[in-house]
Amino acid sequence: MQIQLSEADGTPYYQQVVNQVKFLVASGRLEAHEQLPSVRGLAQQLTITPNTVARAYRELEAEGVVISKRGAGVFISNGVSPLSNKEKRRILNERMDALLTESRQLGVDEETLLKLLRQRSQKFDSHQEVVK
C-alpha cells in the first residue's frame, strides 16, 4: 500500500492516511477483504507514531471503510463500494487546492499551469497505453 505523507500539506497525518486509504479504495487499488498493514508496520513505514495510524484506522472503521478483526488485522470492508461522486470531488478538490497553492507560491500563472497539466495528462495517457 502506497501512502505518502506531507508536512507541507497542513492536514494532520491521521487524516492524510484516512484520505489516501479512501482514495485507494475508490480507485480500485484496494479491494474488499484486502488486509492493510499492521498499525506498527504502517507507522514504521511512514515514520509516524502507532497512535496516529490507530486513530486513522478507527476513523476508517467508524466510516465503514475497514473492519478490524481482533488478532487478525484490519481489512477493507466487504460492502465498500467506490466512493460517491461527492467524495471523489472532495478528494480532487483538496488535491487541486494544494496544486494551486503551490503553483502560486512558485509564481506559475493559471494558463501555464493548465498547459503543464495538459502536457502531463498526454504523457500519462501514452504511458498507460504502453502498460496495457
Side-chain angles (χ1 to χ4, degrees):
M1 179 170 71
Q2 288 289 46
I3 292 181
Q4 296 179 346
L5 301 179
S6 169
E7 283 185 31
D9 185 313
T11 304
Y13 287 152
Y14 84 92
Q15 190 63 54
Q16 289 183 48
V17 172
V18 168
N19 292 344
Q20 290 184 46
V21 168
K22 286 179 178 180
F23 177 78
L24 291 169
V25 170
S27 66
R29 293 184 201 154
L30 286 176
E31 298 180 1
H33 308 294
E34 192 168 337
Q35 186 172 10
L36 298 182
S38 69
V39 168
R40 285 188 182 158
L42 186 57
Q44 286 177 338
Q45 176 188 334
L46 299 175
T47 62
I48 57 177
T49 68
N51 286 344
T52 302
V53 175
R55 182 174 179 185
Y57 282 4
R58 281 193 308 271
E59 187 164 316
L60 287 164
E61 187 169 22
E63 294 181 24
V65 176
V66 301
I67 54 171
S68 181
K69 297 180 182 177
R70 190 175 185 104
V74 178
F75 299 84
I76 300 299
S77 296
N78 185 27
V80 174
S81 60
L83 298 176
S84 68
N85 285 335
K86 181 180 177 183
E87 182 69 9
K88 288 177 185 178
R89 282 194 194 106
R90 186 193 63 75
I91 291 168
L92 288 173
N93 282 336
E94 283 179 7
R95 292 177 183 228
M96 287 188 290
D97 290 349
L99 178 62
L100 287 167
T101 299
E102 290 176 19
S103 66
R104 287 187 177 135
Q105 289 173 348
L106 293 170
V108 177
D109 62 57
E110 185 179 326
E111 195 61 39
T112 303
L113 181 61
L114 289 171
K115 182 179 176 183
L116 290 169
L117 184 59
R118 285 186 193 102
Q119 289 172 350
R120 193 75 180 157
S121 179
Q122 289 172 348
K123 271 187 176 180
F124 182 80
D125 290 343
S126 64
H127 176 71
Q128 291 299 319
E129 290 174 12
V130 171
V131 173
K132 289 180 185 178

